[in-house]
Amino acid sequence: QVQLQESGPGLVKPSETLSLTCTVSGGSVSSRIYYWSWIRQPPGKGLEWIGYINYSGSTKYNPSLKSRVALSVDTPNNQFSLKLTSVTAADTAVYYCARTGGVIAPNGYYFDYWGQGTLVTVSS
Amino acid sequence: SSEVTQDPAVSVALGQTVRITCQGDSLRTYYANWYQQKPGQAPVLVIYSKNNRPSGIPDRFSGSSSGNTASLTITGAQAEDEADYYCNSRDSSGTGVFGTGTKVTV
């Protein structure tokens, strides 16, 4: 059974960088079949895809966040990470990491395993 | 990225059938997936690649699509199906997209 667990600070000051790590167990970030995504959900609102990274470090980002986002993968520790710079209150959300399948068209990306999510609040 | 829209809320009587729809231009080209989310929990994948159910998902959940519309049907809704439902897919630039979400009341 694949399990994912997010970790990182729950409070970030405005203009600073949000950093989260997702630790994967029961699966491998080195998989050639699955990619690894970050998704967020502001309180009381819908889901927003942030981006994905694959085994080779290739990334794809949501254009709405592209200038502020960076994903990285740590194969030896079976982890992948998110950095979001210059945060504002609008970045307050529950952040999820998820395994991503269906990366070959005509499949739309699907997220079959999710972490429990971690609430990150942006506030001074 | 392409917009994908859903009706904000639908209600269904216990044991009856409900269909939730998702509309967007990207759905003409790419398959939709569906998620169930209960309060305080992470979303759960219930249908992927148009009409495939992950292991453990009851067969009362099914998916279909036509043109720019994808649908999730719950046949014989149960009390435990009360939740928010989101569709997702991708657009032609490779950006992942989520629908706006539908609250299902049983």
Side-chain angles (χ1 to χ4, degrees):
Chain A
Q1 179 78 344
V2 178
Q3 293 184 316
L4 297 91
Q5 177 68 58
E6 305 88 354
S7 59
L11 180 64
V12 181
K13 289 182 168 55
S15 81
E16 295 191 345
T17 297
L18 179 160
S19 296
L20 295 174
T21 295
C22 182
T23 301
V24 179
S25 58
S28 173
V29 297
S30 299
S31 168
R32 264 56 171 171
I33 300 172
Y34 297 105
Y35 291 6
W36 306 91
S37 288
W38 287 94
I39 295 156
R40 70 180 183 177
Q41 185 172 36
K45 297 188 178 181
L47 299 163
E48 179 180 33
W49 179 76
I50 297 171
Y52 71 54
I53 189 165
N54 73 3
Y55 64 94
S56 68
S58 178
T59 56
K60 182 69 177 178
Y61 299 134
N62 190 321
S64 68
L65 298 168
K66 187 175 181 178
S67 64
R68 298 194 292 128
V69 171
L71 302 190
S72 59
V73 64
D74 179 357
T75 304
N77 289 308
N78 217 27
Q79 297 176 329
F80 62 106
S81 298
L82 163 71
K83 289 191 186 298
L84 181 66
T85 62
S86 304
V87 298
T88 69
D91 295 309
T92 294
V94 175
Y95 285 77
Y96 297 99
C97 57
R99 192 177 81 167
T100 306
V103 295
I104 306 299
N107 294 294
Y109 311 143
Y110 61 80
F111 311 106
D112 57 353
Y113 289 96
W114 296 64
Q116 66 185 26
T118 186
L119 174 63
V120 178
T121 301
V122 178
S123 175
S124 55
Chain B
S1 62
S2 297
E3 284 193 347
V4 178
T5 58
Q6 300 179 235
D7 290 332
V10 297
S11 61
V12 58
L14 190 67
Q16 297 303 300
T17 295
V18 62
R19 188 172 73 170
I20 306 160
T21 60
C22 177
Q23 287 190 304
D25 286 342
S26 62
L27 300 180
R28 296 183 184 278
T29 307
Y30 303 103
Y31 296 152
N33 314 293
W34 291 91
Y35 305 83
Q36 176 191 74
Q37 186 179 33
K38 296 181 179 178
Q41 298 182 18
V44 172
L45 181 67
V46 296
I47 292 290
Y48 68 98
S49 297
K50 193 163 71 172
N51 193 19
N52 293 281
R53 276 179 292 106
S55 175
I57 300 301
D59 61 6
R60 62 179 180 272
F61 291 92
S62 63
S64 61
S65 70
S66 178
N68 72 336
T69 301
S71 301
L72 173 70
T73 300
I74 308 174
T75 303
Q78 303 298 303
E80 61 264 32
D81 299 334
E82 185 162 295
D84 293 329
Y85 289 83
Y86 293 91
C87 64
N88 100 283
S89 188
R90 54 164 289 180
D91 68 15
S92 58
S93 72
T95 299
V97 293
F98 279 97
T100 48
T102 299
K103 182 176 182 60
V104 173
T105 301
V106 180

